[in-house]
């Protein structure tokens, strides 16, 4: 279990101020505790937060005081739950503690807001939104015209990596399938390592190893790639050979979602 310690005095002070403020804003009735009549300050007492979080009172007190102690991600997560922190507050607490929060487990695939879908629909060029696991969540008409309509594909198979390695249509689209597939795999491997053992990633890898001999042969390799932009050549059944500049953007407020856009490269 990873542990980390606050080093700088300013960081410890900022963390202490934030946690004390949120403790003061959390009323006993919100967490199912009796309000009582002898509370000198609003909100919860330190020992009540420690009890709700299932951590030691002394350790929590030192944490709230901003002492230079080591705490685990599990400790922070318990404090977040005890103080009923919303996603933005949780993110802020982890940032003050100089640590990246683990993703909240969510059942099924996330959804794309109507505003984000409307933005996709206004784009004249192909664009889609995918998760960190490369599940395609939303797309525009231009993307469907270029890659094929995603709608008839079962959501469990509506995954960029799965389509590259198992769908014959995608294999035909890619001018140099092997080189392109290897590059795609190198980029996915980096996302896989960042997932921290997410079972959904493991399930995808296991399914691909069973479905694709190329994936099974190449997955043990160690090539990784970070690039989120580049040039992609596509062989379209109707439009012929096309070239696009593609770029990937993180969706603010939903860092696990990425918007991928394709801009046509003018023919010389």
């Amino acid at each position: 279990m990873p542990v980390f310690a606050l080093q700088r005095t300013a960081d410890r002070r900022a963390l202490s101020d934030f946690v004390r403020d949120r403790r003061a804003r959390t009323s006993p009735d919100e967490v199912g505790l009796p309000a009582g009549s002898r509370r000198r300050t609003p909100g919860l007492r330190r020992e009540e937060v420690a009890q709700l979080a299932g951590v030691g009172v002394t350790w929590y007190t030192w944490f709230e005081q901003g002492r230079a102690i080591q705490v685990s991600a599990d400790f922070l997560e318990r404090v977040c739950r005890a103080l009923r922190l919303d996603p933005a507050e949780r993110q802020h607490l982890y940032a003050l503690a100089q640590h990246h929060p683990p993703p909240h487990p969510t059942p099924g695939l996330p959804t794309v807001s109507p505003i984000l879908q409307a933005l996709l629909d206004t784009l004249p060029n192909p664009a889609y939104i995918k998760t960190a696991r490369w599940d395609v969540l939303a797309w525009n008409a231009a993307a469907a015209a270029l890659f094929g309509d995603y709608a008839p594909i079962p959501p469990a198979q509506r995954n960029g990596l799965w389509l590259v390695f198992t769908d014959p249509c995608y294999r035909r689209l890619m001018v140099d399938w092997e080189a392109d597939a290897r590059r795609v795999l190198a980029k996915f491997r980096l996302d896989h390592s960042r997932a921290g053992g997410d079972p959904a990633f493991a399930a995808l890898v296991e399914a691909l190893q069973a479905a694709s001999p190329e994936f099974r042969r190449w997955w043990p390799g160690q090539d990784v790639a970070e690039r989120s932009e580049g040039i992609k050549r596509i062989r379209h059944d109707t439009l012929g050979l096309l070239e696009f500049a593609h770029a990937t953007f993180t969706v603010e407020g939903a860092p696990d979602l990425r918007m991928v856009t394709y801009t046509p490269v003018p023919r010389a």
Side-chain angles (χ1 to χ4, degrees):
M1 180 181 298
V3 295
F4 45 96
L6 298 175
Q7 300 297 331
R8 296 180 301 178
T9 302
D11 292 332
R12 297 199 298 270
R13 185 182 303 116
L15 176 63
S16 176
D17 291 343
F18 179 70
V19 175
R20 284 190 292 104
D21 177 79
R22 287 308 181 269
R23 177 167 63 84
R25 294 189 185 196
T26 306
S27 62
D29 59 310
E30 285 183 76
V31 295
L33 294 176
S37 58
R38 297 184 179 180
R39 293 182 181 269
R40 289 179 253 175
T41 57
L44 300 176
R45 302 185 179 98
R46 284 175 176 166
E47 57 268 24
E48 290 172 333
V49 176
Q51 177 185 355
L52 290 167
V55 299
V57 176
T58 300
W59 205 247
Y60 173 77
T61 300
W62 288 352
F63 171 72
E64 187 182 289
Q65 289 173 343
R67 297 197 188 187
I69 61 172
Q70 290 189 333
V71 294
S72 67
D74 178 68
F75 176 93
L76 287 181
E77 201 61 38
R78 288 169 177 266
V79 171
C80 289
R81 290 197 296 267
L83 295 176
R84 302 298 195 267
L85 300 189
D86 64 27
E89 292 169 332
R90 173 178 177 266
Q91 185 84 19
H92 186 57
L93 176 65
Y94 271 84
L96 291 175
Q98 303 173 11
H99 192 66
H100 295 294
H104 271 315
T106 54
L109 294 176
T111 57
V112 169
S113 71
I115 292 176
L116 204 50
Q117 181 65 63
L119 171 63
L120 276 178
D121 293 337
T122 63
L123 298 178
N125 297 322
Y128 60 86
I129 293 173
K130 67 177 184 178
T131 67
R133 202 187 79 133
W134 294 32
D135 296 302
V136 179
L137 300 181
W139 57 91
N140 62 6
L146 180 63
F147 297 111
D149 191 3
Y150 292 102
I153 303 174
Q157 298 175 13
R158 202 180 295 156
N159 176 278
L161 193 67
W162 177 265
L163 293 172
V164 165
F165 278 92
T166 67
D167 192 318
C169 295
Y170 265 69
R171 191 178 287 249
R172 289 197 305 271
L173 280 174
M174 301 165 76
V175 175
D176 186 348
W177 181 85
E178 180 171 340
D180 287 347
R182 284 181 175 272
R183 279 193 292 269
V184 166
L185 185 58
K187 292 170 66 176
F188 175 80
R189 184 177 282 109
L190 190 59
D191 286 331
H192 180 275
S193 65
R194 289 169 172 165
D198 186 335
F201 277 75
L204 176 60
V205 168
E206 183 179 356
L208 279 165
Q209 286 175 323
S212 168
E214 294 92 351
F215 184 92
R216 186 165 58 250
R217 188 165 62 252
W218 298 338
W219 179 246
Q222 299 302 318
D223 291 340
V224 294
E226 174 71 76
R227 293 186 61 188
S228 59
E229 60 183 44
I231 301 297
K232 185 175 295 248
R233 300 173 70 215
I234 293 176
R235 186 190 296 110
H236 195 272
D237 289 341
T238 304
L239 302 176
L241 186 63
L242 304 172
E243 198 169 48
F244 292 89
H246 65 86
T248 303
F249 306 89
T250 301
V251 178
E252 186 175 12
D256 286 339
L257 299 187
R258 296 93 177 265
M259 177 182 290
V260 185
T261 62
Y262 289 81
T263 304
V265 175
R267 295 180 179 177

